[in-house]
Amino acid sequence: MTRIIGSAVLAAAAVASASASATPEWRVIDNAFSAVTIGIAFKDDKTGWTSHTDGASKPVIVRTQDGGSTWKEVNTSGIEILTMGVTTMTGPLTRVATTGLLGSSLFSLDGDHFKQSLGAPLVSQDIKFQAGQVTIASPDGVCFSTTSGLLYDCKKVPLKNKGTGRYAAAPSKDIVFLTAGTWPSRQSNNTRRDGSQVARLTNAVRVVYNKKNGANGTLSSKLELGMEQVDAPPTNGTYTAELWKSSDGGKTWKNLISDEGKFYFNDISCFDETHCIAVGEGFAQDGSTQPGARVYATRWQDLEELDHQENSTGADSLMAAYMVSQTEHWVGGTTKSGGLTAPALMLHSTDGGKSYKNENNNILGQMVTAFSFVSSSHAYATSVNAMQSCSLLELTDAPSPSPSPSPSPSPSPSPSTPEYEKPPCQAGEAEASVTGTSGKLCAPPCSASGSCPQNPPKDVTATPACILKDQSGNQYCALECTKTSECDQAGGSTCSILQGGKGVCTYAASGEGFQTILTRVQSEKAEELVVELLGVLLQALLFMQAESGGQYSETDLPTEASFCEFRGAFVEGARELSLNQLEPRFLYLVRVDLAIRGSCHPTHFRFFIGSTVLLATTSA
């Protein structure tokens, strides 16, 4: 059943001016959004994803397209026990990936349909999309995906304290960082006396969950904030902190920091290969010899520095970090976990960590758990509040909600000058031809959100859609049609079919050249098709080519196969193509090397972009 989640804006949650300010400010946009919500990811100012549960129902992934005012449940067809991390690719393509508890790693190529990832770790709370790949931190190392989250290849890190990996960052294909650490109570039993399970995210943040009616039953969950009172405290528990770096994509690792007794690491964020920050924390209550929250920086190869330490209460916590540029970054947490009036920590540095200012806008009782930045002046965050529920926050320079006169309506386009008209085109439109057609059209540019003007010529029923782009990547609107009767027949427009029975309305060309040459947006569909076929191919090879002839179940797939190499080569004849060069009605060849039981199997498959997809595979 589809659920719509409303977001009530609490004006009292953040003190802000009634008028717009030049300086962005944090504010709470939903104080009681969910019982358990940690990760959040926005691809633009309005479109984002996170998870939601009321505590009694199964946690689900939700999407917003209005900046967090409302949220809608997405479609999932994989394991979705408890999502703990969400990431997305910025730009025109929609690529989303998640991770969490008990194999809750999913991927989506459209933001609405999520499918099971293969090869992801069983447990993780950190996932990032950077440098053209997805990275997941696992307890034993780092997992990488170059297929938008479909398949992961995991690399182990020689941790001094096994199973303590926490957060990762990969600013390039070669440079990878992993933070690790533990705290005394983390070594306690994960099963409580009442049978519930505990997932310890930090020393002061825990998810307590319990399955009802067996493995396929509903999952109840809640979040706990504050120092944990364990049933049987470990006698030998202590703090450990490790920071590791790889310069060859995870093949070999170098230890940068190894500490015991003081703190453990949380999030790490990198702007580039030489500018990263990592946050950590230690608490006086359970024996830290140097309690407090801290920010470490890595600069110029392997140099690591303690930039800042926050110790106003002995219970200061920093969990989230984000680098905006080489000199600007944010770190988030709280001055006291669980404190009803404890100020939130929104530490902001604009001078590369030389100084920090707590720009929390007087927000109290909130502990920041994750950031998602759209730009340097607009961001979203999740937090845990003192009432043990999760909130949503926003960094914006827009005014806080307040009564104001209704804006005057924008002047509507004159009926005599509709858009998508027969060329010559009015100002602001591109007079263009479309690859695969012999006609021309007037194409308005798409808005930043991908919307299009809704004022076509009279009697036109074709749908305005953002479906064209030029050779520079600029996107334009056109009238999408299935038959000529939907177009401007009075003006001589016809429906030029491009693919799958759909086309665009065009006018007969007069023989003159056009200002802009457009091609049908095919790259996203092509990549989606490739990823889908790779999943089918992988499963077929596992069952048909396993060297031992053994039988495998679905649960074996993640551990029994991975990519040796994904060449990413789309070939037409002898010519290699990139995704944005793919066009319909052509046959392409892809080579994929799969690792099955340690052996590489070079495999080719061909696909045809059109109304029908043809697939043939051969092993070389």
Side-chain angles (χ1 to χ4, degrees):
M1 180 180 69
T2 299
R3 281 182 276 179
I4 303 293
I5 302 162
S7 173
V9 177
L10 305 181
V15 179
S17 171
S19 60
S21 170
T23 303
E25 295 178 334
W26 285 100
R27 67 186 186 204
V28 180
I29 59 174
D30 196 329
N31 196 46
F33 174 74
S34 170
V36 179
T37 293
I38 300 295
I40 189 169
F42 272 73
K43 76 182 299 291
D44 54 42
D45 291 318
K46 298 295 184 181
T47 309
W49 295 262
T50 187
S51 62
H52 176 271
T53 177
D54 59 10
S57 60
K58 174 187 174 184
V60 296
I61 301 170
V62 292
R63 177 182 187 176
T64 181
Q65 293 180 287
D66 53 17
S69 296
T70 60
W71 296 81
K72 181 180 178 181
E73 181 181 348
V74 303
N75 300 296
T76 58
S77 59
I79 299 173
E80 189 184 9
I81 303 297
L82 195 58
T83 299
M84 305 303 298
V86 186
T87 188
T88 183
M89 176 195 294
T90 57
L93 297 182
T94 298
R95 300 289 180 266
V96 190
T98 71
T99 193
L101 301 182
L102 305 178
S104 300
S105 292
L106 306 171
F107 74 99
S108 174
L109 302 179
D110 61 8
D112 289 319
H113 299 82
F114 285 71
K115 299 181 181 180
Q116 186 67 46
S117 298
L118 300 179
L122 184 64
V123 175
S124 179
Q125 66 190 64
D126 174 58
I127 186 169
K128 294 180 176 72
F129 214 133
Q130 193 174 12
Q133 64 182 355
V134 183
T135 58
I136 295 181
S138 79
D140 298 316
V142 184
C143 301
F144 306 89
S145 174
T146 57
T147 55
S148 301
L150 167 64
L151 285 172
Y152 286 90
D153 180 20
C154 296
K155 305 292 185 182
K156 285 192 174 182
V157 177
L159 295 169
K160 299 180 180 180
N161 298 277
K162 304 299 182 184
T164 60
R166 294 186 51 70
Y167 290 82
S172 69
K173 297 287 186 180
D174 294 324
I175 303 299
V176 189
F177 293 92
L178 176 72
T179 68
T182 190
W183 53 92
S185 63
R186 191 183 187 191
Q187 301 167 43
S188 303
N189 195 331
N190 291 332
T191 303
R192 291 185 173 175
R193 292 176 180 175
D194 61 1
S196 60
Q197 301 293 308
V198 182
R200 297 176 174 89
L201 307 184
T202 72
N203 197 5
V205 180
R206 298 167 300 284
V207 177
V208 181
Y209 60 98
N210 189 24
K211 277 189 175 182
K212 303 175 182 178
N213 303 322
N216 295 322
T218 59
L219 181 80
S220 63
S221 56
K222 65 178 181 178
L223 197 142
E224 292 181 349
L225 180 63
M227 299 296 290
E228 183 178 15
Q229 302 298 319
V230 298
D231 293 337
T235 57
N236 59 347
T238 187
Y239 282 98
T240 67
E242 299 178 47
L243 177 63
W244 291 81
K245 176 184 177 181
S246 173
S247 299
D248 52 15
K251 296 177 183 177
T252 60
W253 294 86
K254 177 181 180 180
N255 180 247
L256 302 182
I257 294 178
S258 181
D259 186 272
E260 187 171 316
K262 302 185 186 69
F263 74 104
Y264 63 92
F265 275 113
N266 282 321
D267 198 10
I268 183 169
S269 175
C270 295
F271 179 74
D272 55 30
E273 291 186 345
T274 56
H275 293 81
C276 304
I277 54 168
V279 293
E281 56 191 18
F283 299 89
Q285 181 175 328
D286 58 357
S288 169
T289 58
Q290 291 185 14
R294 58 206 77 199
V295 184
Y296 277 82
T298 62
R299 303 189 188 92
W300 312 118
Q301 302 303 321
D302 295 338
L303 177 64
E304 65 279 353
E305 300 176 359
L306 176 61
D307 265 8
H308 179 76
Q309 188 159 350
E310 194 80 17
N311 188 25
S312 60
T313 66
D316 305 82
S317 172
L318 286 174
M319 185 174 175
Y322 187 83
M323 287 209 75
V324 179
S325 67
Q326 289 186 351
T327 57
E328 181 181 7
H329 59 258
W330 289 84
V331 294
T334 181
T335 54
K336 185 177 181 180
S337 300
L340 186 63
T341 60
L345 282 180
M346 308 281 203
L347 300 181
H348 186 202
S349 176
T350 57
D351 54 13
K354 296 178 182 178
S355 63
Y356 288 85
K357 181 180 180 182
N358 190 11
E359 300 180 10
N360 66 4
N361 199 25
N362 297 324
I363 295 175
L364 305 178
Q366 301 280 352
M367 176 181 173
V368 178
T369 55
F371 284 130
S372 178
F373 273 76
V374 179
S375 66
S376 61
S377 60
H378 193 200
Y380 294 86
T382 56
S383 67
V384 187
N385 59 51
M387 303 306 292
Q388 313 290 307
S389 63
C390 295
S391 306
L392 297 182
L393 291 76
E394 182 181 14
L395 174 70
T396 178
D397 55 8
S400 295
S402 59
S404 59
S406 300
S408 301
S410 300
S412 302
S414 169
S416 61
T417 55
E419 297 183 88
Y420 312 101
E421 73 280 11
K422 183 176 182 178
C425 305
Q426 58 188 295
E429 293 181 324
E431 184 174 327
S433 65
V434 180
T435 301
T437 76
S438 59
K440 59 181 179 178
L441 70 156
C442 293
C446 304
S447 70
S449 63
S451 61
C452 293
Q454 300 294 310
N455 57 324
K458 184 181 178 181
D459 298 327
V460 169
T461 58
T463 305
C466 184
I467 56 175
L468 303 176
K469 70 176 179 180
D470 63 18
Q471 294 167 318
S472 299
N474 302 310
Q475 292 190 302
Y476 295 85
C477 302
L479 296 176
E480 191 173 48
C481 57
T482 58
K483 51 188 177 181
T484 295
S485 60
E486 298 173 348
C487 302
D488 177 25
Q489 288 183 281
S493 177
T494 59
C495 184
S496 298
I497 301 298
L498 295 173
Q499 180 184 7
K502 290 187 177 182
V504 294
C505 295
T506 61
Y507 295 88
S510 62
E512 296 183 352
F514 308 129
Q515 297 175 0
T516 309
I517 304 299
L518 303 178
T519 59
R520 176 79 174 182
V521 178
Q522 291 296 335
S523 59
E524 183 168 3
K525 179 63 179 177
E527 185 178 353
E528 178 179 349
L529 177 61
V530 170
V531 172
E532 290 285 321
L533 294 182
L534 287 179
V536 174
L537 178 62
L538 173 62
Q539 296 186 47
L541 289 176
L542 284 173
F543 284 93
M544 296 171 60
Q545 299 183 18
E547 293 177 358
S548 67
Q551 297 297 312
Y552 296 93
S553 64
E554 283 190 15
T555 57
D556 291 320
L557 294 179
T559 59
E560 294 295 337
S562 61
F563 282 119
C564 287
E565 182 180 2
F566 177 33
R567 297 289 179 87
F570 298 85
V571 183
E572 180 188 9
R575 187 166 65 109
E576 253 187 35
L577 304 174
S578 60
L579 279 174
N580 59 12
Q581 292 176 300
L582 297 184
E583 293 195 23
R585 305 186 184 94
F586 285 95
L587 186 68
Y588 297 95
L589 175 70
V590 179
R591 171 175 172 164
V592 181
D593 291 351
L594 296 176
I596 301 176
R597 289 187 168 272
S599 299
C600 275
H601 295 260
T603 302
H604 298 75
F605 67 91
R606 299 174 176 82
F607 66 95
F608 177 82
I609 301 181
S611 58
T612 303
V613 176
L614 304 177
L615 170 65
T617 64
T618 59
S619 294

